Amino acid sequence: MIALTTGEPAGIGPEIALRAAAQCDTPVVLIGDAALLETTAVAIGVGWPLPRVQLAHVPLAAPCLPGRLDARNAAYVIQTLDRAIEGCGTGQYRAMVTAPLQKSVINAGRATVTPFSGHTEYLAERSGAAHVVMLLVGGGLRVALATTHLPLAAVPTAITPASLAATLDVLHHGLRSKFALPAPRIGVAGLNPHAGESGDLGREEIEVIAPAVAAARARGINALGPLPADTLFVPAQLARFDAVLAMYHDQGLPVLKHASFGHGVNVTLGLPFVRTSVDHGTALDLAGTGRADAGSMIAALRLAEELTA
């Protein structure tokens, strides 16, 4: 079965997890508080219990109200992730799909030893993955990130020949093994405007990105770049590639979310198991209203099933 974590309990995670489980034929295990899920199911009218759905109960640490964050439930959210990670590691689950969580709650509740920067980083640390890549899929696009949840000022120093080599290797392998692309074409964006304009607007393209792309090509990876991001993301250019590697979070994600918001899927490549997730946050303003759109969660669940078929 596929593990489906229900995310921040005060957000829309429980609702969209239940809606996805109800609308898909995929057998799933919902990981979360039993009473919260039952109450939510009754409130949104999906029925309880659901067919093809099992429950892995993780108790809330404190009572939960929709839209009201409570740092006391930070450990609860981490426990749901750990349950899914352990199950994937033992073969109990064939994949995990994650509902959105609230990073501020995890950090305020001191639920992890180091500051919690996101699902992707935590899953990599807990699973022992050497290098992971965030790949967003939707709207006919595949956009991977060379860096993930970093302040913009920290991005240039985080982009190194070694990190780009590892990212291109993981992306190339993931596109081949998970998406059945025998020779994936990867367009690599530059970091600076106009890809540095021959060094006038920055030298990262000359000193770091171009050598990393050349080295990847020598390893048999069909990568091209660095290319100016503002023209790389136009339709005529995108048609040349199976995936785009953006240098930082807000370089690539706005384009993909414009093309597919509400139906995009986040895939973490490089883990020892398949993990997909929604392309949005906890939407606290919608929690408890019954109006949350489960489209991205449904797409994430269906893609997890396809990738493990």
Side-chain angles (χ1 to χ4, degrees):
M1 303 183 78
I2 292 177
L4 204 166
T5 63
T6 49
E8 165 56 50
I12 63 171
E15 177 182 341
I16 61 175
L18 285 162
R19 291 193 186 280
Q23 294 183 40
C24 296
D25 294 331
T26 307
V28 302
V29 176
L30 287 172
I31 302 179
D33 183 85
L36 172 65
L37 290 171
E38 181 176 0
T39 300
T40 304
V42 172
I44 64 176
V46 300
W48 187 264
L50 289 167
R52 304 178 307 280
V53 175
Q54 295 181 13
L55 175 66
H57 173 58
V58 176
L60 285 167
C64 178
L65 293 175
R68 300 283 188 89
L69 297 173
D70 191 330
R72 292 176 295 174
N73 280 321
Y76 158 80
V77 177
I78 292 298
Q79 287 166 18
T80 64
L81 291 180
D82 288 344
R83 179 77 68 90
I85 294 167
E86 291 163 8
C88 286
T90 62
Q92 180 183 7
Y93 308 136
R94 62 186 172 116
M96 65 182 290
V97 179
T98 57
L101 50 73
Q102 194 82 14
K103 287 181 281 189
S104 61
V105 167
I106 307 298
N107 289 320
R110 301 184 184 277
T112 55
V113 175
T114 56
F116 184 88
S117 58
H119 266 122
T120 301
E121 297 82 359
Y122 184 75
L123 294 175
E125 178 186 347
R126 286 283 286 111
S127 66
H131 190 86
V132 297
V133 175
M134 182 185 291
L135 175 69
L136 281 294
V137 179
L141 305 178
R142 300 184 188 94
V143 178
L145 301 180
T147 61
T148 53
H149 301 110
L150 292 177
L152 189 57
V155 168
T157 55
I159 299 172
T160 65
S163 71
L164 283 180
T167 296
L168 284 165
D169 286 346
V170 170
L171 178 57
H172 173 76
H173 176 74
L175 291 170
R176 293 187 64 194
S177 62
K178 299 292 191 298
F179 292 88
L181 296 167
R185 303 163 300 165
I186 302 170
V188 180
L191 172 66
N192 298 296
H194 304 167
E197 212 163 83
S198 301
D200 291 339
L201 297 178
R203 296 194 57 81
E204 288 86 358
E205 287 77 11
I206 295 170
E207 297 175 359
V208 179
I209 303 174
V213 171
R217 291 181 66 86
R219 298 194 300 277
I221 296 174
N222 188 6
L224 183 64
L227 302 170
D230 60 345
T231 53
L232 175 55
F233 282 109
V234 301
Q237 284 277 40
L238 287 172
R240 302 170 57 197
F241 303 110
D242 298 301
V244 167
L245 177 61
M247 290 297 107
Y248 56 94
H249 187 280
D250 282 14
Q251 184 184 59
L253 265 61
V255 178
L256 186 129
K257 290 191 176 186
H258 175 74
S260 65
F261 188 69
H263 299 277
V265 180
N266 178 7
V267 183
T268 306
L269 300 177
L271 294 171
F273 49 81
V274 168
R275 178 258 175 161
T276 65
S277 186
V278 295
D279 68 348
H280 57 74
T282 54
L284 297 173
D285 58 324
L286 289 176
T289 67
R291 296 186 287 108
D293 185 348
S296 182
M297 180 61 87
I298 292 169
L301 182 55
R302 287 176 173 161
L303 183 57
E305 183 176 32
E306 290 175 16
L307 296 180
T308 56

